[in-house]
Amino acid sequence: MLAYLKTYLTMVSTLISFIGVVNLAVDPLWYTQGNKLNPINVPYNERLTKTNLLLHSDRRKYDCLIFGSSRVTLLNSKALKNNVCFNYSFSAGTAEEFVKYAEYVKDKGVNPQKIYVGIDAYNFTFDKKTALKNKVEVAEPKPAYQSYLFSLDTLQLSLKTIFRLNTEIRFYDQDFQGKVFANAPKYKPEFVDKKTQEKCNFSRIAYYKQIRHIFPNAKIVGYVPPISVWKLFNESYARGLLDCELQAIYEASKSYDITYDLSYPSEITTVTYNTYDGSHYYPDVNNQIAQVLEGKLSSLGIRIHQYNLNEYQQFHKSKLKEYLYKEGEGKRW
């Protein structure tokens, strides 16, 4: 009996050791320095992993925060030269989540001088994925020994990373900066006239404004990330949502110091080689966006509040109309 127990305990300790070694080597939840086997950190749960990264770093060094969706995860925080920024963006991020995480980092002692906030139109048209979250909780990590020594779920993430079994197109490098895999699909868009009964919902405007109340002394810079002209047409204009989405963006950004819009038809958004889906743009584009946000590049984007609401809406629509007619698609207008 004693021999069986000894064998059993040996097997269990060997299994736990194996799980721990693999998980520590890959570090899929970012407790230490990320993946030590190769420079690929897969974004399995960015809300959790980025919270972990924040908690296990010197939080005092951050004088800048970035909030946004997966589009904003590809904004390299090191390309923002004026500050030391922590990019707290995550997939399908919504305004009410930004508020909750802003409160959380403030409670953890971060006091930013600068905050960048990505504003996505989908925040104002609700469906199953983008519905308002009435209750938001910060994804606080468990102790490392629980997550890495005794978790087969974490081991599964580690093995998926090792054997490249994940389906993500984005990843984070060894410095936790957003990148795109070299084998990302080519973007092959087309215009689609799809009508909808949806209407805009302005509930989230208040959440965007609430960030100002959490950090009243910070300079807040909003920006609307680039969206391909095809997605702009298909998801906003063709569905009759463009005017109200622009109104919501305009109102949401009123309490910010400055807000840039890069989502209208432009030299960035009317080509297909700089994005893999018309929504997520490659790092070189985001490096240009960083220059725009720091006021170093004026040839891209517009400052929203140089316009009144009607002028802002007309600017967008005139750019879209101009492009459609130029491409022989004027019948869609």
Side-chain angles (χ1 to χ4, degrees):
M1 182 66 179
L2 187 60
Y4 284 118
L5 180 60
K6 184 177 180 180
T7 301
Y8 173 76
L9 292 176
T10 300
M11 291 176 62
V12 170
S13 62
T14 300
L15 177 61
I16 291 175
S17 297
F18 170 76
I19 293 172
V21 168
V22 173
N23 286 336
L24 285 171
V26 179
D27 194 19
L29 302 180
W30 302 7
Y31 279 93
T32 57
Q33 297 301 312
N35 192 347
K36 299 164 191 66
L37 303 180
N38 57 58
I40 294 175
N41 296 284
V42 182
Y44 294 115
N45 182 342
E46 289 160 301
R47 291 162 178 80
L48 175 63
T49 51
K50 291 198 172 183
T51 300
N52 226 345
L53 183 61
L54 178 76
L55 294 177
H56 291 86
S57 63
D58 179 10
R59 299 190 289 277
R60 294 170 299 178
K61 69 182 179 182
Y62 297 119
D63 64 353
C64 165
L65 295 169
I66 304 170
F67 295 107
S69 67
S70 57
R71 294 166 176 165
V72 184
T73 63
L74 291 166
L75 178 65
N76 189 329
S77 63
K78 293 185 177 181
L80 296 162
K81 304 295 187 181
N82 295 343
N83 300 89
V84 180
C85 298
F86 184 83
N87 192 331
Y88 223 145
S89 303
F90 37 72
S91 182
T94 58
E96 62 272 25
E97 291 183 291
F98 305 157
V99 167
K100 191 69 175 181
Y101 281 82
E103 292 172 338
Y104 179 78
V105 294
K106 183 176 183 179
D107 184 60
K108 296 300 180 181
V110 179
N111 186 27
Q113 299 174 9
K114 181 81 66 70
I115 299 174
Y116 296 101
V117 182
I119 306 175
D120 295 298
Y122 71 72
N123 272 276
F124 310 110
T125 52
F126 294 176
D127 57 25
K128 289 183 179 179
K129 290 185 178 180
T130 61
L132 187 70
K133 298 175 177 67
N134 293 319
K135 186 177 181 180
V136 177
E137 298 292 340
V138 172
E140 286 213 64
K142 299 176 182 178
Y145 72 88
Q146 289 185 24
S147 296
Y148 280 0
L149 290 179
F150 305 109
S151 176
L152 292 176
D153 289 337
T154 307
L155 177 63
Q156 184 180 25
L157 299 181
S158 295
L159 294 176
K160 285 176 67 176
T161 302
I162 292 171
F163 294 107
R164 304 287 180 92
L165 299 178
N166 64 82
T167 58
E168 294 286 345
I169 300 173
R170 295 180 298 116
F171 70 98
Y172 291 86
D173 66 13
Q174 65 270 31
D175 295 320
F176 301 105
Q177 299 298 335
K179 303 289 184 181
V180 177
F181 283 112
N183 64 347
K186 301 297 183 183
Y187 183 42
K188 299 178 180 179
E190 59 183 16
F191 291 113
V192 179
D193 289 300
K194 52 181 181 180
K195 303 299 181 183
T196 182
Q197 299 300 315
E198 292 176 2
K199 296 181 179 179
C200 286
N201 187 313
F202 289 179
S203 303
R204 285 197 173 105
I205 293 175
Y207 288 101
Y208 279 107
K209 294 187 174 185
Q210 196 172 336
I211 297 172
R212 164 64 71 196
H213 300 294
I214 299 170
F215 294 112
N217 298 320
K219 179 178 181 179
I220 303 181
V221 178
Y223 85 101
V224 188
I227 305 165
S228 80
V229 66
W230 297 272
K231 289 187 77 71
L232 179 68
F233 178 87
N234 297 343
E235 297 184 5
S236 295
Y237 180 78
R239 297 164 68 192
L241 298 171
L242 183 58
D243 271 334
C244 66
E245 287 175 347
L246 292 172
Q247 181 181 350
I249 290 169
Y250 191 88
E251 293 298 325
S253 65
K254 274 187 174 179
S255 61
Y256 296 169
D257 293 273
I258 189 170
T259 302
Y260 297 93
D261 188 342
L262 296 102
S263 67
Y264 60 89
S266 69
E267 61 188 74
I268 289 178
T269 61
T270 56
V271 295
T272 60
Y273 55 79
N274 56 5
T275 175
Y276 59 84
D277 62 358
S279 182
H280 301 85
Y281 281 78
Y282 290 122
D284 58 335
V285 174
N286 279 281
N287 288 340
Q288 294 180 67
I289 292 173
Q291 294 185 60
V292 172
L293 298 180
E294 290 193 325
K296 300 171 183 176
L297 184 63
S298 59
S299 58
L300 296 177
I302 59 169
R303 298 185 180 190
I304 290 180
H305 290 108
Q306 288 183 324
Y307 306 86
N308 62 39
L309 174 58
N310 181 64
E311 290 170 341
Y312 175 53
Q313 292 169 323
Q314 291 303 317
F315 173 84
H316 255 270
K317 289 190 290 187
S318 66
K319 287 291 185 181
L320 179 57
K321 181 180 180 180
E322 177 185 332
Y323 181 78
L324 289 173
Y325 274 93
K326 177 183 175 182
E327 296 300 310
E329 297 283 354
K331 62 182 183 297
R332 298 184 184 277
W333 184 256

